[in-house]
């Protein structure tokens, strides 16, 4: 988990509210990712960013939004449009294909945020 | 379609016995393969990866994995299991079309009994 922090560890939200999950890294990585984890379904990619001020939708982007204004930070907002937001959310980063000459794309993960909708 | 399969939801092994967690993949070209471990309510920790070269890859905590191209497999192994190895294990392969992305399997829960 070293180098990537997520806050808060636990988050409770009422239905209809937007909530923002924080992800910060001090690894000088270009690429950052958000995943959602549900029991028995593994990890599903929500959004990812390969460079500041740019990001791409993953497999399940509906109901989520992100920003990448700084290299170190990649916050995820879970909007009220997300029908089933209760899950464990994981942030990750990697050095980025442009600088990773071996193109190994090892991703390093934060400790996660568990979101519960009440 | 690119994919990773972990055919076992759970693997049970006695402490001191060898363990194997299975992974098969389906991608075109030469795969880049990864294993991660997740302890309860924690993020994923990188264990090892295969890029090229020797088919037997050694990683953290005494784990190793064997790449088998003909069987399209990348099984995780350890000669002697510890109770503390009990966790959720994920296999992943790099997306060939978007190389910044990884494709993960659904995970295998390893339970090591004393």
């Amino acid at each position: 988990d070293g180098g990537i922090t997520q806050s808060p560890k636990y988050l409770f939200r009422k239905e209809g509210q937007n909530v923002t999950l924080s992800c910060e890294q001090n690894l000088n990585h270009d690429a950052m990712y958000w995943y959602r984890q549900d029991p028995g379904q593994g990890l599903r990619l929500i959004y990812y960013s390969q460079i500041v001020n740019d990001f791409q939708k993953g497999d399940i982007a509906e109901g989520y939004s992100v920003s990448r204004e700084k290299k170190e930070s990649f916050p995820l907002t879970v909007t009220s449009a997300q029908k089933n937001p209760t899950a464990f959310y994981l942030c990750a980063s990697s050095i980025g294909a442009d600088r990773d000459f071996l193109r190994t794309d090892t991703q390093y993960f934060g400790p996660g945020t568990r979101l519960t909708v009440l | 379609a690119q994919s990773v399969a972990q055919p076992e939801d759970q693997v049970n092994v006695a402490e001191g016995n060898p363990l194997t967690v299975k992974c098969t993949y389906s991608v075109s070209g030469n795969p880049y393969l990864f294993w991660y471990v997740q302890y309860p309510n924690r993020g994923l920790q990188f264990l090892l990866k295969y890029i090229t070269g020797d088919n037997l890859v050694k990683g953290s905590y005494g784990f190793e994995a064997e790449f088998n191209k003909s069987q399209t497999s990348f099984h995780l192994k350890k000669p002697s299991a510890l109770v503390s190895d009990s966790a959720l294990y994920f296999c992943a392969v790099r997306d060939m079309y978007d190389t910044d992305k990884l494709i993960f399997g659904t995970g295998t829960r390893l339970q090591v009994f004393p």
Side-chain angles (χ1 to χ4, degrees), chain B residues 33-83:
Chain B
L33 295 154
F34 302 80
W35 274 103
Y36 287 85
V37 60
Q38 185 182 33
Y39 298 99
N41 294 311
R42 301 289 299 276
L44 275 66
Q45 295 180 29
F46 170 71
L47 277 179
L48 52 81
K49 63 187 176 187
Y50 171 81
I51 305 299
T52 187
D54 193 347
N55 289 344
L56 186 64
V57 180
K58 294 189 183 298
S60 306
Y61 312 122
F63 284 93
E64 58 190 26
E66 186 170 13
F67 172 65
N68 187 317
K69 189 171 185 177
S70 63
Q71 298 185 4
T72 62
S73 68
F74 189 55
H75 300 333
L76 182 70
K77 301 181 179 184
K78 188 173 183 182
S80 178
L82 300 172
V83 172

Side-chain angles (χ1 to χ4, degrees), chain B residues 22-34:
Chain B
K22 296 179 180 177
C23 172
T24 59
Y25 64 90
S26 175
V27 297
S28 57
N30 296 318
Y32 288 3
L33 295 154
F34 302 80

Side-chain angles (χ1 to χ4, degrees), chain A residues 8 13 22 25 28 33 48 52 56-57 60 67 71 74 77 86 88 99 101 103-104 108 116 118:
Chain A
R13 189 195 90 176
S22 169
Q25 55 98 359
N28 198 30
Y33 311 80
Y48 65 107
V52 174
Q56 289 78 40
K57 293 182 179 180
I60 56 165
S67 63
K71 186 175 185 177
F74 191 42
T77 296
T86 294
F88 191 50
R99 289 197 294 133
F101 300 112
R103 305 181 70 82
T104 58
Y108 298 93
T116 302
L118 304 174

Side-chain angles (χ1 to χ4, degrees), chain A residues 11-26:
Chain A
L11 189 56
F12 298 90
R13 189 195 90 176
K14 293 182 180 180
E15 280 194 33
Q17 289 182 335
N18 293 353
V19 64
T20 297
L21 282 60
S22 169
C23 177
E24 304 276 335
Q25 55 98 359
N26 62 4

Side-chain angles (χ1 to χ4, degrees), chain A residues 33 48 50 104-105 107, chain B residues 32 34 36 94 98-100:
Chain A
Y33 311 80
Y48 65 107
Q50 295 165 308
T104 58
D105 302 308
Q107 293 183 17
Chain B
Y32 288 3
F34 302 80
Y36 287 85
R94 191 186 72 173
D98 189 337
T99 55
D100 270 328

Side-chain angles (χ1 to χ4, degrees), chain A:
Chain A
D1 296 349
I4 303 176
T5 58
Q6 292 185 242
S7 60
K9 188 172 177 64
Y10 298 96
L11 189 56
F12 298 90
R13 189 195 90 176
K14 293 182 180 180
E15 280 194 33
Q17 289 182 335
N18 293 353
V19 64
T20 297
L21 282 60
S22 169
C23 177
E24 304 276 335
Q25 55 98 359
N26 62 4
L27 302 170
N28 198 30
H29 284 173
D30 285 330
M32 296 186 74
Y33 311 80
W34 275 105
Y35 293 91
R36 171 181 171 139
Q37 185 178 17
D38 297 280
Q41 295 195 44
L43 274 69
R44 293 184 289 169
L45 183 64
I46 304 172
Y47 269 97
Y48 65 107
S49 168
Q50 295 165 308
I51 198 168
V52 174
N53 292 323
D54 189 37
F55 47 82
Q56 289 78 40
K57 293 182 179 180
D59 301 318
I60 56 165
E62 185 175 353
Y64 300 96
S65 66
V66 293
S67 63
R68 187 86 187 276
E69 297 176 2
K70 298 188 300 181
K71 186 175 185 177
E72 302 79 17
S73 179
F74 191 42
L76 172 74
T77 296
V78 184
T79 75
S80 57
Q82 169 50 233
K83 290 182 170 45
N84 185 20
T86 294
F88 191 50
Y89 290 87
L90 288 161
C91 179
S93 70
S94 67
I95 195 167
D98 286 346
R99 289 197 294 133
D100 184 349
F101 300 112
L102 294 177
R103 305 181 70 82
T104 58
D105 302 308
T106 301
Q107 293 183 17
Y108 298 93
F109 285 78
T113 292
R114 187 165 296 281
L115 173 63
T116 302
V117 174
L118 304 174

